[in-house]
């Protein structure tokens, strides 16, 4: 079964989220090695969990797309949620890189 446009967009957003999380994780790992604070360790844990969640989402979009295939409203909701996560990570990446 071919992916719908909505699921393709959701998959692309999850991939972009993973890339942003890799960049954030690299910065936070470098900062943790320098400063060693619990706050930065918490940020690293956040990045790791969110990265895992986004990679699993991409896996499920490809392997189990039938979960969303019958309901266009569910597909649109997934796109909106992935888009909101992307915006949040974009803002976080911007301020982290400053």
């Amino acid at each position: 079964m071919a992916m719908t446009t909505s699921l393709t967009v959701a998959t692309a957003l999850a991939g972009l989220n993973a890339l942003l999380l890799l960049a954030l994780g690299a910065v936070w790992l470098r900062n943790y090695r320098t400063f060693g604070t619990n706050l930065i360790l918490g940020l690293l844990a956040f990045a790791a969990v969110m990265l895992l969640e986004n990679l699993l989402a991409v896996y499920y979009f490809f392997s189990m797309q039938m979960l969303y295939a019958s309901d266009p409203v569910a597909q649109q909701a997934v796109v909106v949620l992935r888009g909101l996560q992307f915006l949040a990570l974009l803002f976080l990446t911007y301020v982290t890189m400053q």
Side-chain angles (χ1 to χ4, degrees):
M1 176 187 314
M3 272 191 167
T4 65
T5 302
S6 294
L7 291 181
T8 302
V9 170
T11 303
L13 287 169
L16 289 171
N17 290 343
L19 291 175
L20 291 174
L21 287 160
L22 285 171
L24 287 168
V27 170
W28 292 336
L29 180 61
R30 186 182 68 228
N31 288 345
Y32 182 72
R33 287 180 177 159
T34 302
F35 303 109
T37 66
N38 287 338
L39 175 64
I40 298 173
L41 188 59
L43 291 171
L44 265 173
F46 168 79
V49 171
M50 291 297 294
L51 178 61
L52 180 60
E53 188 271 336
N54 278 279
L55 293 176
L56 281 172
V58 170
Y59 170 76
Y60 284 122
F61 288 145
F62 280 112
S63 69
M64 303 176 91
Q65 58 186 305
M66 66 264 185
L67 290 173
Y68 303 108
S70 64
D71 190 358
V73 174
Q75 292 177 8
Q76 291 171 356
V78 168
V79 171
V80 168
L81 292 173
R82 291 283 156 209
L84 290 172
Q85 186 180 81
F86 175 72
L87 284 175
L89 290 171
L90 198 61
F91 292 137
L92 187 57
T93 302
Y94 177 77
V95 298
T96 298
M97 299 300 174
Q98 293 301 310

